[in-house]
Amino acid sequence: MKKTIVVLFAAVMLLGTQNLFAETKTEKIKVSGNCGMCETRIEKAALAVPGVTKADWNKETKDLTVTFDATKASADKIAAAEAKVGHDTPKFKADAKTYDALPGCCKYDRTASK
């Protein structure tokens, strides 16, 4: 019984110290898109970046709010991931082939995102 408590305590302490070294940041990134399918794709792309723990895209404001460990991820890495799946950001533009492959409802006005 004592051994179990000691092991449990050690595990809790180890997890607690891991959080001390994490530098959690929350930022907003403008990401072009239109619909619910865009929202799913945008959030999935952000969450695929190592270190990202939360992603929420707002269809009306076009803001992607992301929470991430700054020692593993950055706003630029997240924005680049968005461009790779077809969504423009202020710093990174999706290539034409990727954008053209998006479903029709997801094709936003690219002149507005420049």
Side-chain angles (χ1 to χ4, degrees), residues 43 45-55 66-69 72-74 78:
E43 291 173 357
L47 290 168
V49 176
V52 176
T53 55
K54 290 182 186 175
V66 286
T67 302
F68 58 93
D69 177 348
K72 298 178 182 176
S74 68
I78 298 163

Side-chain angles (χ1 to χ4, degrees), residues 23 25-29 45-46 49-52 64 66-82 91-92:
E23 188 181 324
K25 285 180 109 177
T26 299
E27 290 194 27
K28 286 187 179 186
I29 303 167
V49 176
V52 176
L64 172 65
V66 286
T67 302
F68 58 93
D69 177 348
T71 64
K72 298 178 182 176
S74 68
D76 283 352
K77 284 182 184 178
I78 298 163
E82 298 304 335
K91 286 190 174 185
F92 299 92

